Amino acid sequence: MLNNNGYFGEFGGVFVPEPLKNVLKEVEDSFYKYIEDPEFLEELKFYQKQYIGRENPLYLAERLTEKIGGAKIYFKREDLNHTGAHKINNAIGQALLAKRMGKKRIIAETGAGQHGVATATVCALFGMDCTIYMGEIDTKRQQLNVFRMELLGAKVIPVTSGTATLKDAVDAALNDFVQNAEDTFYLLGSAVGPHPYPTMVREFQSIIGEEAREQILEMEGKLPDYIVACVGGGSNAIGLFHPFFNDKAVKIIGVEPAGKGLDTQEHAASLTKGTPGIIHGFKCYTLQDEQGEPLPVYSMAAGLDYPGVGPEHSYYKDSGRADYVAVTDHEALKAFFELSRTEGIIPALESAHAVAYAIKLASKLPKDNIIIVNLSGRGDKDVAQVKDMIEEDETVADLLNKQ
Ligand SMILES: *Cc1c(COP(=O)(O)O)cnc(C)c1O
C-alpha cells in the first residue's frame, strides 16, 4: 500500500523533465527509508505532541446535533493545532525529512499564503533557511501573510512571470529545486504534485484519521457511519480518509467548492466537473481547456482554489470508495455563521464547506448515526473577508441575521 510506485489506479505518476526526475528520486528514496525508521518516527511524534499540540480533540457538537435533529456530529479539531490548521502536520514531517537528508535550505510555493506560513514556521523551529515563492498578485492580495512569513524569518520572492499567481510560483519553485538540489528541499503543501509528494503528504496527514478512528472507538464503541472533509488539493481529506479505507461500512464524502454555482465558470470542483488530465507533473481530475491547460478557478475560500486534485482522491472517485459533492460559497457561509453561533467555533471558510454538507446530511439521518467532520482550520484568518462580504452583499448579511 505504501510503495505504490506513485500510482493510484491510473492517477498520479511523475510527468516532469528528466533533471527534476532525478531530484524527485532522491526525495522518494529518503522518504521510504525514513518513514519506516523508528528513530525518525519517534522524533516526528515528539514534535506532533510538544509543538503542534496533538492529539487534538474529537468533539461532539451537542448543540448543533440537537438543533439539526438527526445524526450525531463530531468535529476533528485540526483548528486547535499550532498555527491554526492541519497544514503544520505535513510541514513538520517534510522538514524533519529534509533535515535527515542533510538539506539546509527549504523552498515552497504558496497561493493564499497559508502553506507559506506553515513552512516558514517549521523553518524557524529547525533553524533552516527559508525561501517562499509567491505570485506577485498574491503577495498584494495577502499582505498580512507575507508579513507573517517575514516575521518568521522567511524570504518571500514575488513571481512576476506569466499570470503572477500560484501556477507561476510553482514553476519558479521547481526551477529553484532543480538548480539547487544539492542543499535544497522543496516542501510541497498538499497531496498533489509528482510522486512521491501525494503519498508523502498523505502519510504525514494520516495522523488525523488515525487519531479520529481511535477516539470514536473509545467514545462510541463503534466506527462512524460517515466521514466528511473539504477538498482543495486534498491533504486534510486524505489524512482523515486513508485510515478508514479498509473500513468498508464507513462512507467517505469529500466536499468541493462550488463557488458561485456548478453551472457557472466560477467554481473549483475538479472531481465533480473535471476530466482526467495532467497538471503540475501528475495525472488527476482537472478543470482544463481543450488544450489541456488549467482553467481559471474560483472559491471564496483561498485554500480550495486549485484546478486539480490529489491523485488518490481521483482514484477513490473512480473506484467508488468515496463520493464527492460540492457546496457553494453561500451554503458554506451559512454554515460558517451557524457553527460560530451554535458551538462558539469560528471555522476556516474551507472547513465551512465540509460543515455545510455535514449539516445537510445529518438532517436526513437517524439519531443513532455518527458523522465525523474534519475541521481543517480556524476562521481567524477569514473574519476580515467575511466582514467585507457582509458589508457588500445584503444576502450575506441576511444569512447572519437568521442565525
Ligand atoms: C489549505 C487549506 C485547505 C485545503 O487544502 P487541502 O490540501 O485540500 O487540505 C483546507 N482547509 C484549510 C483550513 C486550509 O488552510
Side-chain angles (χ1 to χ4, degrees), residues 53-300:
R54 306 200 73 94
E55 78 180 18
N56 57 40
L58 181 69
Y59 166 72
L60 172 60
E62 274 188 71
R63 287 233 312 144
L64 184 64
T65 298
E66 204 167 294
K67 186 173 167 199
I68 306 302
K72 271 188 188 174
I73 301 173
Y74 279 89
F75 290 116
K76 182 59 179 158
R77 298 292 307 274
E78 293 301 306
D79 61 315
L80 294 179
N81 296 341
H82 175 50
T83 67
H86 68 289
K87 285 193 172 74
I88 193 83
N89 300 326
N90 169 54
I92 287 257
Q94 286 193 46
L96 284 173
L97 179 64
K99 234 172 53 150
R100 295 273 166 153
M101 291 171 74
K103 310 287 182 186
K104 308 237 170 325
R105 179 172 176 262
I106 299 275
I107 58 170
E109 85 298 334
T110 196
Q114 287 145 243
H115 173 54
V117 170
T119 303
T121 301
V122 298
C123 288
L125 171 65
F126 295 129
M128 296 167 108
D129 188 88
C130 183
T131 301
I132 306 289
Y133 288 96
M134 191 166 184
E136 192 184 32
I137 293 181
D138 291 331
T139 61
K140 292 192 175 132
R141 280 196 288 228
Q142 305 287 342
Q143 289 179 18
L144 215 52
N145 273 340
V146 172
F147 180 60
R148 267 192 196 105
M149 289 182 256
E150 288 170 352
L151 263 181
L152 292 160
K155 196 171 345 137
V156 180
I157 301 188
V159 179
T160 52
S161 56
T163 56
T165 56
L166 180 63
K167 180 182 182 301
D168 311 288
V170 172
D171 290 341
L174 286 173
N175 197 29
D176 181 324
F177 195 26
V178 172
Q179 303 293 324
N180 302 298
E182 207 123 293
D183 71 341
T184 298
F185 184 93
Y186 183 9
L187 206 163
L188 210 146
S190 187
V192 298
H195 182 60
Y197 286 100
T199 300
M200 185 157 67
V201 174
R202 196 254 339 264
E203 284 302 296
F204 291 136
Q205 292 292 2
S206 286
I207 185 79
I208 301 172
E210 286 160 12
E211 284 180 5
R213 197 173 179 286
E214 265 183 38
Q215 288 168 313
I216 199 72
L217 285 173
E218 190 166 304
M219 294 169 82
E220 291 277 355
K222 61 177 184 177
L223 291 172
D225 297 279
Y226 290 86
I227 54 178
V228 179
C230 66
V231 179
S235 70
N236 87 88
I238 208 67
L240 175 66
F241 298 170
H242 188 259
F244 290 93
F245 183 84
N246 291 322
D247 301 312
K248 297 295 180 208
V250 177
K251 292 181 256 319
I252 299 179
I253 300 181
V255 185
E256 295 197 294
K260 297 190 176 163
L262 288 178
D263 49 356
T264 71
Q265 302 293 315
E266 291 179 275
H267 62 76
S270 316
L271 287 159
T272 311
K273 296 285 277 189
T275 48
I278 292 168
I279 60 161
H280 299 161
F282 70 107
K283 186 171 179 188
C284 65
Y285 275 90
T286 166
L287 297 163
Q288 52 190 337
D289 65 17
E290 271 139 40
Q291 276 74 50
E293 288 297 314
L295 286 169
V297 286
Y298 163 83
S299 165
M300 69 169 176

Side-chain angles (χ1 to χ4, degrees), residues 356-378:
Y357 189 78
I359 287 174
K360 199 153 54 172
L361 178 65
S363 72
K364 295 182 216 146
L365 294 174
K367 289 189 172 176
D368 64 351
N369 271 213
I370 296 167
I371 304 175
I372 294 179
V373 186
N374 200 19
L375 216 58
S376 55
R378 68 177 82 127

